Amino acid sequence: MAINIPGVIAMVVFYLLVLGTGIWASFKSKREQKKSAATGVEMTLLGNRNINWVVGMFTLTATWVGGATIVGTVEMVYTPSMGLTWTIMLHLAYSLCFLIAGFVFAKPMREANYVTMLDPFHIKYGKVVAAGLSLTSVILDLIWVPATLIGLGGVMSVVLDLSFAVCIWISAAVAITYTLLGGLYSVAYTDVIQLVLIFISLWLCVPFVLTNPAVSDISQTLLNNTLHSPWIGKPEMKKTWIMIDEFLFFTLGSLGYQCLHQRILSAASTATAKRSCFLAAFIYPVLVIPPILLGAATTSTDWNLTTYGSPSPFERGEAALALPIALQHLTPSVISIIGIGCVAAAVMSSADSALLSAASVFSSNIYKNILRPQASDREIQWVIRASVLVVGLVSTSLTSLKTSVLLFWFVGADVAYIVIFPQLLCVLFFSISNGYGAIMGFLVGIPLRLLSGDPSLGLPPVIHFPGCTLEDGVYVQYSPVKTISMLSAVAAILLFSYLASVLFNRGMLPEKWDVFKVKVQHSPQPLTPIADTTEHDENEKLNRNNSQNEASEPMISTSC
């Protein structure tokens, strides 16, 4: 098969459109900075906290609608053990995540004027714990980028007949370039363009696939075993707890991503942040309907009647490529190219978010707060650029593993659910939490999760929870092991925080052993200002920090 020249030309045009939007947004960012006299760092990372609800709604939604979402959804529907049942559960979880973010997290995060979601850890727990959690957050973004890029590489290599590596590196280069140029402004405004392209191109592809002569009526194959297993999946009563576990896993685990909170923190106000979250919760399900229909079509296709031939993609072990195969063999060439544009838009809308997220945490929470508190605004801006470049290169290099989209997707969510979410929940809403509890939460949650086993990672369970069964030589946990690990981490954080507080505040342990300063934790020192400012600006930031301490008072008090 020769290289698809029209497809390549179309992709070049698409990339130039996105890159042009990013460059325009970077100039807009500079103009806004001159008008508001904002620091370069705050403009780069948070858009001067001036993102309106329309752009906020688009950029929040685009953050979750990535290459992994589009390609992974088709793969899930096509995979008999998952099907429609698990797919709907997953996407409802992501929608609920937006609602929880708006109702619960938007107010304390936005009113405290944090720069990243890791700031409350630095204020309350100090440098050691904040550094550990910051590194975890950066690693989480490093895992996320390959998941979304792999989806694009698979699609472009199949439809355009280009090298897998070439497709990925070109797309990553475009995303890195406009993220470097304009920061959050470029990311947010390109998200608007990308989301519109995703919506239009996906819905253009659906009718061509569904009306192909080789595709049976998907309403008939929903429950009937004809050419393929029914695409509703295999819902079983014995898997009820597993489904509940997965639902909570994706709902709450998604709240552990910095890119989500970065959008909340960049909103013009708390009300704007909430409105953006609520609208994103309703827009997101609309955008995943087309991939579900495309997945249903692949299960209803007689591949003998197509140029792909027999056996089916599932039987060849190519379920992860179900979307590009469907575009290549079930649609006209022009439509398949449009489908590629959709996936490319989805990939860059998530990849740029992860790149900026990792750069934000490293530059603000590690470099500025820990390594060089005296760093100037200009120095931090160069650190941000270097971070975007390094994270982009490292994460793109990981795509050479060519692992299933879903594996990267699930591993990243595991880290967010077991590590980040319990810590964020406790630091924001429980005044008793402290550094000792944070460390114990990590030491309890992660080992418990690993000892529970994970078939996708080849880890056999050491701890057999109720319902653990040996099936085909593999132990299957039917208990909600991920949620058990998360709740155990929360319990450990609160319990050991309480014990440490009692021991030090009542003089049972000498104060010189109190490395996390439990006795003074309720009066946290404000973060060092991001950049050198005039005396007037320092006074303004001091007033803001005072209001920040008041706004970040926990909703639930469990102090002894």
Side-chain angles (χ1 to χ4, degrees), residues 60 95-109 111 255 260-261 264 270-271 273-279 281-282 429 555:
L60 268 172
S95 291
L96 183 58
C97 163
F98 286 127
L99 293 176
I100 295 175
F103 279 116
V104 180
F105 288 88
K107 187 174 188 294
M109 294 290 285
E111 289 187 353
L255 294 166
L260 173 67
H261 298 284
I264 292 173
T270 301
K274 289 183 175 182
R275 184 183 301 174
S276 299
C277 289
F278 298 152
L279 290 172
F282 292 100
F429 302 114
M555 292 182 176

Side-chain angles (χ1 to χ4, degrees), residues 59-110:
T59 190
L60 268 172
T61 308
T63 300
W64 281 168
V65 183
T69 305
I70 303 298
V71 180
T73 296
V74 177
E75 181 184 350
M76 287 185 73
V77 176
Y78 184 56
T79 303
S81 60
M82 296 181 179
L84 180 65
T85 306
W86 286 82
T87 306
I88 289 178
M89 177 273 297
L90 171 71
H91 293 306
L92 285 179
Y94 278 129
S95 291
L96 183 58
C97 163
F98 286 127
L99 293 176
I100 295 175
F103 279 116
V104 180
F105 288 88
K107 187 174 188 294
M109 294 290 285
R110 180 61 183 86

Side-chain angles (χ1 to χ4, degrees), residues 169-200:
W169 280 100
I170 291 175
S171 304
V174 173
I176 291 171
T177 300
Y178 69 71
T179 304
L180 282 172
L181 290 174
L184 186 69
Y185 256 86
S186 290
V187 170
Y189 281 95
T190 53
D191 280 348
V192 176
I193 298 295
Q194 289 156 353
L195 208 62
V196 171
L197 290 174
I198 291 169
F199 180 81
I200 295 174

